[in-house]
Structures are given as structure tokens and as C-alpha cells.
Amino acid sequence: MTTTEVATFCPLCVSRCGATATVEDGRLLALRPLPGHPTGGAICVKGKAAPEIVAHPDRLPHPLRRTAPKGAADPGWEPLGWDEALATIAARLTAIAAESGPEAVVFGSASPSTSAMSDSVDWLQRLRRAFGSPNLLTYMELCGWGRHLATTYTWGEPVPGAYLPDLDNAGCVLYWGYNPSVSRLAHATATTAALRRGAKLVVVDPRRAGLASKADQWLRVRPGTDAALALAITHVMIENGWYDTGFVERWTNASWQVRTDTGELLAPGTEPGDVPTRRVWDLIAEECARFAPEVAEQITGVPAAQITAVARLLWEARPLAFYTWSGLEQHSNATQTVRAIGQLYALTGCLDVPGGNVLFTPVPANPVDGAQLLPPGQRAKAIGVRERPLGPARFEFVTGEDFYKAALDGVPYRARALVNFGANLVMAHGDSARGRDALGALDFFVHTDLFLSPTAEQADIVLPATSAWEAEALRIGFETGQDAQATVQLRRPLVTPRGEARPDLRIIFDLAVALGLGEHFFGGDVEAAWRYQLAPSGVSLDELRAAPEGIRLPLETVHRKYEQRGFRTPSGVVELYSERLRAQGYPPLPTYDEPSIGPRSRPDLAARYPLILTCAKSLFFCETQHREIPSLRKSAPDPQVELHPETAAARGITAGDWVRLETPLGSVRARAKFNGNLDPGVVCGQHGWWQPASELGRPGYPAVGEGSANLNLVLSQGPSDPISGSSPLRASLCEIRPENGLSRREP
């Protein structure tokens, strides 16, 4: 036997943890941390399960073609060769583009935050744009909008999506709707180190999960009311003078004047004439005063005294670093919520300062996403851009809601084909039954994956992908800090691919060549593409192959970059008052609206469904993936719904009982799990349940239909956020009842 230790990194989530792989005679045996790597301090349970993922018997070994009609109980899969598969795909996509325009072909991807698509998503963007499609379906409205795109309407850049928390130097860390213990282990370990050196921690979350147990302040906010809480904290800061006066006056538009008749924002030096005006700052103070702590307590459930204490802590413990995640993005008021938090953060003056949120110096590299390949006229055809001109479609991202409408109703035109890499749309978006129907309505659907999923079952052709550890991949920058951003690493294949599986990147390049787009893909030569990408860095592929642990460039962080170039907003300053939002009919200042499906907005539903339903990621699974992995499924054998013991007792429910979680859209099954830290009026469910764990005798659960455990089957895509189309998956209404006839022991 030959055993080797190989430096690598795990790409299963955004943490991208540096790892040491143990390989024996062509088999991956284990992953463990990689000391010295900037993200190599720990490996989560999902990363440790890599050997089981690689060796799982249900992996797809070769391309498959559907022989039965859509809707048939059995797709009638038959194998076909790669050459025929690629030729068929190219012919069908080319014909559809000729008949209906390339915009009728939608491209899709699993989220690069929770899958190995981070290795190749920029190249998929290049393929889409070279083909001429303005439509990428990748959950942006559910996971990314609040960190990356919505924040551009305040800062002009992604804050905190690109301006990351400087945890090594922060005096206080604020996590809002974000549990890094589940979502980004590198942040969790860095935060723990920060606490050891004396940093303070504030966590806003309906659940006391992960690092919330170590927080100096944990704010148990009612799901969907985060904007009211942010405005209340801001009010206390304004009232007490706890804000950076110099930054606010010089680098925001707080001192600008607004016409009281039209709401138009007047640039400094503009003479308003006889028209009355008010300062933006006065309007902000007035809006925030509507949410004084005593008022906000009634809305959010957070005690007024705690709101005041947190405002003081955020100010006095600066520099403040913060981060948010999908806990704020899956709401009907997502955009204004992140704007309200951005406004709060602007008052601290901590952007791009040591210990705040910093844009770390990146490794110089050539962009490869092909932004220049899509003509403006095609970009203007993005699905959903007419209805939400400032939403994800403005950036070429299609929401699930708009894709389903285009596929089923032909609005704004008919989406006829989908080229999808790993995204399990049926399970990940609300209203799963409509999602299944939308996929079934397509003329042609090609799906790439490791396993047959409920989404793949609707495809015409399924292509087998390698796991991350069977593929080579280039990573430029690891995001968590300056050392991480300065690191370049080439992940080498650890084991031979299973069957005929190919890496996602190889499939993208092969499709490009088959479609006649090889000129944009270096003739199909992946290594030539990487050399082009790396050229500005001065790092070569040979050097990277000789240093599998990665190469760290001597880059230094430059702080307060806005002092040299201004902010990348139209005005050059932080736009607390957004003229772009006002011009489209949206509130120009951060404001609060009740969740669209909540006890205050829908009292008619609340009478029948008295509990507030939220949901959260599981520690053991990457969204809808990995429930078939024995070591992970042992720790979470069945779907669960968390509820307060008092709530359970009132309904005759015992811990471990099978229950029915009911919403206005139907019901799903789950086991009751008690959580005494929850508000008694709040319950927390889990999405993503469908895979069987045959080794453990654990069942799979139907994605759609009676007996389903798929939470998204009974969650609605709307009423969605008017700006982004974000679905209210984390704040709706439900009831919990015992499931008659099922004992605690039955699966």
C-alpha cells in the first residue's frame, strides 16, 4: 500500500478551507486541516465526509438521455456517449436560439457559496454571455442579493460581500442573520480567536445557534423585522451622538438637500430657488425616530433596554466589523433591510479601516467572466428586468419566480431551454410543485450533477460531473483576510474520476467548442485559459503545481481607498438617500415593511396559522445535498422542526414525535425538536430533504407529493420583495399538529 499526504482545499462552501488529504492506493481516505494555510484551521463535518461523497455508489457514471415523455413516472434513462451528448445539446440549443433568440436559453448554476461551482462559475458566465443569453439562474435573490448587489445602492460596492470583516483587528463583530459555524467555518475560527483577545460579539438571530452562545449580546429578533431593529439602533445612535460626524458629513449624502415637493435629491451647490427643502440627515433622524426602542420592542420582540445597550456597544467597542447572510435575504423586505443595516454601519465610520470591513488587496488577475461578450441589447432582455429594473435581472440574474413565469406563462417571453450545473431548483426555491412544472414545460433541459436529483429527473440529458477531489481547479484568493486574499492555489486531482464523469470546467469548455464558441475558450485548452487568467499575477502553473499548499504573494492592504477615489456610487459618496431607488418609485431612505406573510400583515391567516415559521441551514448538509452520506445522516437522520417546549405541550407534542407542519400551501412531515431558546411563537424548519441513506435504512422523502418532508413545497415564492424578488422563505405563518398514527420510532 502507498499512502500519501497532499495539500489541497475543500470547495464545498464559501469557506474553502485549506486541507490535507490522505490518499491510499488511489482512494481518498480523509481530509484534515492544513496548518499554515489562511483557511486551514479546521475542517467541518461535511469536508470530513469527502471520502464518502467520492466513493458513493449512487454517483452518475455516464451521460444519460431521457426516452420517456416528461411527466412519466420513469424517465427511461439510457446511456449515451459524450460525443453524442455534446452534439445533441449543441444542436438543440443552436436551433432554439435561431428560432427564439439566445435569450430563450437560460443557464443555471448551484450557488458557488454552497457548492464546488465556485471552481468554474465565472467560466459558465463566460459561456452564457458568449452564447448571447442574459439569463443566469443561480439563487441570487435568495443567497447573495443582500451581501453583494443590494448594497451597491448604498455603497456602490458589495458591503459586506467584498468588503470583508477584518476579524484579526476588530474591536466588535456584528453577525446579523449569519451563523459562520454552519456557513463559513474560517470565519467561525477567526471569530473565536478574536473573542479570546477581547473583541466583543453581537449576534442578531431568531435562534441562539453557533457563536450566538458566546455573544456579549444576542438579539432574538422576530423573523422578518430586522429593518425595524436596525432603524431603532440607528435612532439611539443619533439621539446620543454615537456616530462618526466627520465621515457622515464628508463621505455620505446626509448633508444634501431634498425637495419636499418631489423628493428629488439636490447635489451640493444646487440652488433650490423658492422650493422648500430638507436635509437628508433630518429625514433619516425622523424616519428612525418612528422606531424608538419602546416601539421597536413591540415589533421585533427585542427588549428596548437591549436595543439601547447594543447601540452603545457597537459605538464604544469600535472598530466594528460585520457580516450578513441569507438570514436577511429570504424575506419580502430584504432590500430595505440590508439598506437599513448599511445605514447603521455608515454611522460608525468603520468601512475600510483596520478592524472594520475592508477590501483586501486582491491578486492581480485577468477577469474571465466574459462581461464584454454580451451586447447591451441582449442584456436588456434579461427575464424580470422590466418588472424589477433595479433587481437581480439588472445584473443578469434571473429569480426563480421570474424563471417559472417565463417557462410556464411566456412572460416576458418563453424560456425554452435550460443548461443547468448542479442547481436543485425543485428543492431550493419556494413552491416546489410549480418549479417541477416549469422544468417540465421546457423544450429542452440539460443538467450536470454528481447524483440524480429531483431537478435532474426533469431533464432531457444528464451529464455526470466529477467530485471536487477528482478535478483540478484554480483558486485566486480565499477572501477571509489579506493573507487569504493574497493566496493562489491549484487544487490537484486526488483520485481518478468515477466512470465517465468530467469536471464542470471541462464540460463548460467542451460545450463551448461544440457550440462553435471555442475562440472564446482558448480552443478548449483549460491550461491556456488558466495561464491567461494568472498572467498579471506573475505566478505560473508550474510554480503552483510545485507548491500544492498554495503561493502567497507579498500584498499589503491599503485602507480608506475612498479618500483617493471616492465611492463607486453615481454621486461618489455613500448614498443613504438613494436617488436611483426614488426614481423607480421605491422609498429612497431605508424603511421597514412588515413581512408579507406575517401576523400583522395577514391577520386573516394568522387566526388559522398562529406560529411564525422560519428556517435555517443544517450543520450536516450543504443545502439540498449530502443526506445520502452515512456519516452525516447518522447525526441528522430525519427532517426536524424546532419549537419551544411550551408550544409543543399546548399541542400534545412530545420531543421526537412526527408532526405535520401546515401552511396555507399544504403540509409536510418532520420530527419535533425542542428548543427552549426560541420564542414560543416561532418555529424553525429545514429544507432540502429527499435523499435516502440506504446504508442506514433511512428513507428518502418525495420532493413533491403526500408524505413530503420538503419544506419549500409549502413555502411561497411571493409576495416577494418588490425590488429584488426575494421570496419570504424565512418569515411566514404555520401551524404544527401531531401526525396521527405515527409513533416516535417510525421512519
Side-chain angles (χ1 to χ4, degrees), residues 505-684:
L505 190 58
R506 179 72 268 160
I507 296 171
I508 290 168
F509 274 61
D510 290 344
L511 278 175
V513 172
L515 287 163
L517 303 172
E519 63 180 303
H520 302 298
F521 285 81
F522 303 87
D525 187 339
V526 172
E527 290 207 6
W530 282 340
R531 286 193 293 271
Y532 166 79
Q533 193 174 359
L534 284 167
S537 73
V539 178
S540 72
L541 286 177
D542 288 341
E543 290 172 321
L544 289 172
R545 290 193 170 111
E549 71 283 358
I551 294 174
R552 192 175 306 170
L553 275 64
L555 303 176
E556 294 184 0
T557 304
V558 177
H559 293 102
R560 296 183 177 88
K561 291 176 279 295
Y562 56 83
E563 292 181 348
Q564 283 72 49
R565 57 168 171 79
F567 286 90
R568 301 191 188 281
T569 58
S571 63
V573 298
V574 180
E575 297 185 346
L576 303 178
Y577 190 101
S578 174
E579 184 65 14
R580 284 183 292 182
L581 290 177
R582 187 199 69 83
Q584 294 293 338
Y586 304 119
L589 286 177
T591 187
Y592 169 68
D593 290 312
E594 273 286 313
S596 61
I597 308 175
R600 295 188 175 200
S601 56
R602 293 298 306 271
D604 55 323
L605 291 179
R608 181 175 177 184
Y609 304 98
L611 299 174
I612 297 171
L613 172 62
T614 191
C615 58
K617 295 176 182 176
S618 170
L619 172 66
F620 302 102
F621 313 114
C622 285
E623 303 297 357
T624 74
Q625 307 168 71
H626 304 145
R627 284 166 180 79
E628 80 277 43
I629 305 302
S631 66
L632 300 176
R633 190 66 172 271
K634 283 179 182 178
S635 300
D638 294 305
Q640 295 178 334
V641 58
E642 296 179 42
L643 69 167
H644 194 280
E646 294 176 4
T647 307
R651 290 160 174 78
I653 295 170
T654 303
D657 282 353
W658 281 102
V659 297
R660 279 279 165 185
L661 189 157
E662 300 176 351
T663 78
L665 290 182
S667 69
V668 294
R669 303 170 66 230
R671 284 196 186 274
K673 179 183 178 181
F674 288 179
N675 184 343
N677 290 315
L678 280 175
D679 184 292
V682 173
V683 300
C684 183

Side-chain angles (χ1 to χ4, degrees), residues 109 154 212 368:
S109 167
T154 300
V368 297

Side-chain angles (χ1 to χ4, degrees), residues 277-577:
T277 63
R278 296 187 66 190
R279 286 192 310 159
V280 169
W281 182 251
D282 296 328
L283 296 174
I284 290 172
E286 184 177 278
E287 177 66 17
C288 292
R290 295 178 52 228
F291 299 92
E294 295 74 18
V295 175
E297 178 177 349
Q298 299 304 310
I299 297 171
T300 68
V302 178
Q306 189 180 23
I307 292 173
T308 300
V310 166
R312 178 186 292 274
L313 179 62
L314 296 180
W315 176 249
E316 293 182 347
R318 294 175 304 152
L320 175 66
F322 85 107
Y323 206 74
T324 67
W325 199 261
S326 52
L328 295 182
E329 296 170 328
Q330 297 173 10
H331 291 285
S332 60
N333 52 15
T335 304
Q336 292 294 358
T337 295
V338 298
R339 290 247 312 142
I341 295 171
Q343 175 177 265
L344 186 163
Y345 191 65
L347 265 59
T348 71
C350 289
L351 185 78
D352 216 23
V353 306
N357 278 63
V358 177
L359 183 65
F360 297 108
T361 303
V363 173
N366 282 320
V368 297
D369 61 3
Q372 76 284 358
L373 298 177
L374 189 70
Q378 282 300 106
R379 189 176 188 183
K381 297 176 184 178
I383 294 171
V385 75
R386 293 181 184 175
E387 295 79 3
R388 287 183 281 266
L390 299 182
R394 176 178 176 236
F395 306 91
E396 304 171 33
F397 295 101
V398 182
T399 70
E401 182 180 13
D402 290 339
F403 170 67
Y404 295 168
K405 189 182 299 183
L408 290 168
D409 306 325
V411 177
Y413 49 82
R414 186 162 172 251
R416 295 183 56 192
L418 174 64
V419 181
N420 190 41
F421 283 77
N424 196 353
L425 307 172
V426 169
M427 302 298 298
H429 285 282
D431 201 348
S432 294
R434 181 169 170 82
R436 176 201 57 194
D437 293 344
L439 294 174
L442 295 170
D443 292 343
F444 185 64
F445 173 25
V446 56
H447 182 82
T448 299
D449 217 324
L450 277 77
F451 301 92
L452 278 175
S453 68
T455 296
E457 292 286 349
Q458 304 300 317
D460 296 283
I461 290 179
V462 178
L463 302 177
T466 62
S467 71
W469 299 280
E470 298 159 318
E472 195 168 43
L474 176 65
R475 183 74 206 168
I476 303 176
F478 284 77
E479 298 184 0
T480 52
Q482 185 57 74
D483 283 350
Q485 279 291 66
T487 299
V488 185
Q489 191 172 2
L490 188 70
R491 193 182 70 241
R492 302 300 310 278
L494 300 175
V495 295
T496 302
R498 292 279 298 278
E500 300 175 36
R502 295 184 182 181
D504 292 302
L505 190 58
R506 179 72 268 160
I507 296 171
I508 290 168
F509 274 61
D510 290 344
L511 278 175
V513 172
L515 287 163
L517 303 172
E519 63 180 303
H520 302 298
F521 285 81
F522 303 87
D525 187 339
V526 172
E527 290 207 6
W530 282 340
R531 286 193 293 271
Y532 166 79
Q533 193 174 359
L534 284 167
S537 73
V539 178
S540 72
L541 286 177
D542 288 341
E543 290 172 321
L544 289 172
R545 290 193 170 111
E549 71 283 358
I551 294 174
R552 192 175 306 170
L553 275 64
L555 303 176
E556 294 184 0
T557 304
V558 177
H559 293 102
R560 296 183 177 88
K561 291 176 279 295
Y562 56 83
E563 292 181 348
Q564 283 72 49
R565 57 168 171 79
F567 286 90
R568 301 191 188 281
T569 58
S571 63
V573 298
V574 180
E575 297 185 346
L576 303 178
Y577 190 101

